[in-house]
Amino acid sequence: MLHLAMVRYLTGFQPTGILHIGNYFGALRPAIETQDKGEGFFFIADFHALTTIHDPKILREHVRGVAIDTLACGLDPQKACFFRQSDVPIVAELTWILSCVTPMGLLERSHSYKEKLARGISSSHALFAYPTLMAADILLYESDVVPVGRDQKQHLEITRDIAMKFNELYGPVFKLPEPSIRDDVATIVGLDGQKMSKSYGNTIELFSEEKALRKKIMSIVTDSTPVEAPKDPANSTIVSLYRLFATPQQVAAMEEDFRVSGFGYGDFKQRLFEIVWKRFAPMRKRREELLKDPGYIDEILARGAARAREVAEQTISRVRRAVGIGGRIGG
Ligand code: ATP
Ligand code: MG
């Protein structure tokens, strides 16, 4: 019987905060879809999060939160390998080895690094070297496809550059990952109409309590058009968020109601609240089950780490042999 090699998809989730609907539609849902297309390798990128989070209690909370929320949203540990990055510390060894062939200029061109500095995050060696750790994640697990948003496109190019440089020096050790840029997922807007981002304080979190969720949605910024006056649906944050959840007919109905008089923004926000609340209801239920069984998360992550380690050990053996470290030196 012919066995075709499964395509391996790799996706990392940074535990830098509480997951929001931008993360869900932009990253989590597309990642969950890949678990039926090939072999999914999903990890919680806690080494990456260390670049910005320096409180151990908060980091642990976010790691646990991201694990629970991703499982609640449908990541299936029976189908995919789900693990915590730091449980396979070989990735740190590979990062060092890759650093030794990574030109400074390559990292100096990183948009994401420059953007983080511009936002006031203090510079560190790790923040600068972040793309090298990302390259190590991708190359260690021999990923075929890494589905990323536009913001991560350059990091993937850096990974390919580092892998090619290494292969040129030492022979064909690394498989080059194929870029898969998700242009179809638009940037989801936050409460203030800007890109929804944990660090902008404008998020709608996936699993808020009912009252908190309603309050968040009621705080979406609108203009001051009165109830009696017609409104423009074209640039409305409410409509653009509603579109993520509603059928085309429901969207058309809301747009129509924008254009006639008699509906206030409060009515539309209430409609948005109801549909968001309903959409995440089954996931909320699963999440409650997961919260009742804390041992389960550790068990899943330990199993995932064991599988990830198998792949990592094979790759690092080839790398060590290629560069000349480890093994017997007696001659
Ligand atoms: P931070 O503010 O710390 O950068 P974030 O909320 O932007 O946090 P990230 O951890 O940077 O979240 O991103 C995780 C994933 O979610 C990435 O794949 C990113 O492309 C995607 N993502 C984040 N925000 C949005 C958004 N508003 N719309 C679509 N996708 C998003
Ligand atoms: Mg971001």
Side-chain angles (χ1 to χ4, degrees):
M1 209 172 123
L2 180 70
H3 286 281
L4 291 174
M6 284 243 265
V7 173
R8 186 172 294 153
Y9 292 89
L10 181 88
T11 304
F13 303 100
Q14 272 210 81
T16 48
I18 299 173
L19 296 183
H20 53 77
I21 65 173
N23 296 144
Y24 177 76
F25 288 102
L28 192 48
R29 195 178 64 168
I32 289 167
E33 282 165 7
T34 65
Q35 72 191 4
D36 290 314
K37 289 197 257 171
E39 189 185 16
F41 264 52
F42 302 131
F43 66 99
I44 304 174
D46 55 347
F47 276 153
H48 281 284
L50 265 183
T51 57
T52 48
I53 298 190
H54 298 120
D55 180 326
K57 197 163 160 270
I58 291 178
L59 183 60
R60 277 182 203 286
E61 263 169 34
H62 287 329
V63 169
R64 184 175 138 75
V66 168
I68 289 174
D69 291 357
T70 44
L71 290 168
C73 285
L75 190 149
D76 183 349
Q78 304 299 332
K79 291 182 185 164
C81 172
F82 185 40
F83 63 104
R84 175 167 56 172
Q85 185 185 29
S86 62
D87 281 341
V88 189
I90 290 168
V91 76
E93 177 183 350
L94 182 58
T95 303
W96 177 256
I97 296 172
L98 295 180
S99 295
C100 297
V101 302
T102 304
M104 285 291 282
L106 198 60
L107 301 179
E108 277 162 355
R109 286 195 290 276
S110 162
H111 306 310
S112 144
Y113 175 67
K114 288 184 220 162
E115 210 181 284
K116 281 176 180 160
L117 289 194
R119 271 205 245 145
I121 296 176
S122 62
S123 170
S124 69
H125 171 234
L127 197 70
F128 182 68
Y130 186 110
T132 321
L133 176 56
M134 183 162 159
D137 289 318
I138 295 170
L139 300 173
L140 186 60
Y141 298 111
E142 302 203 277
S143 319
D144 297 295
V145 183
V146 186
V148 290
R150 276 245 150 254
D151 53 337
Q152 292 288 326
K153 180 172 181 274
Q154 193 191 28
H155 283 162
L156 216 63
E157 288 162 1
I158 294 175
T159 299
R160 286 175 63 90
D161 284 350
I162 294 174
M164 281 190 279
K165 180 92 190 285
F166 188 98
N167 286 353
E168 253 170 54
L169 271 168
Y170 295 112
V173 172
F174 291 123
K175 183 196 270 187
L176 295 189
E178 284 307 314
S180 159
I181 311 297
R182 293 187 320 252
D183 276 326
D184 51 325
V185 185
T187 300
I188 286 137
V189 290
L191 301 174
D192 54 0
Q194 306 283 307
K195 173 195 178 288
M196 189 180 288
S197 250
K198 287 176 223 126
S199 49
Y200 297 175
N202 63 356
T203 64
I204 299 174
E205 291 163 2
L206 286 181
F207 297 112
S208 303
E209 298 289 327
E210 188 171 355
K211 239 174 105 179
L213 179 70
R214 183 180 281 114
K215 204 169 151 204
K216 268 281 167 81
I217 290 179
M218 289 300 160
S219 75
I220 291 173
V221 179
T222 55
D223 58 30
S224 50
T225 316
V227 174
E228 317 79 64
K231 299 165 185 67
D232 180 14
N235 297 312
S236 163
T237 302
I238 305 172
V239 177
S240 81
L241 290 173
Y242 191 66
R243 196 169 280 124
L244 298 167
F245 297 89
T247 62
Q249 289 82 356
Q250 287 172 310
V251 176
M254 183 181 274
E255 285 175 334
E256 188 46 39
D257 292 345
F258 257 71
R259 288 188 204 102
V260 298
S261 56
F263 291 97
Y265 285 122
D267 299 309
F268 301 124
K269 289 177 180 175
Q270 178 61 26
R271 257 186 251 180
L272 175 62
F273 162 75
E274 276 162 19
I275 206 162
V276 175
W277 183 252
K278 211 165 132 203
R279 169 66 165 270
F280 289 109
M283 300 168 198
R284 205 173 302 117
K285 220 168 139 218
R286 279 237 292 286
R287 187 169 176 272
E288 273 154 27
E289 295 300 314
L290 289 163
L291 287 169
K292 279 188 219 149
D293 186 1
Y296 175 76
I297 303 286
D298 286 318
E299 219 174 273
I300 291 298
L301 292 178
R303 217 187 311 142
R307 166 79 186 114
R309 206 171 293 121
E310 278 172 25
V311 180
E313 273 167 2
Q314 285 177 15
T315 309
I316 202 72
S317 296
R318 288 202 311 274
V319 171
R320 289 178 189 142
R321 220 176 303 127
V323 301
I325 58 171
R328 292 170 60 85
I329 50 159

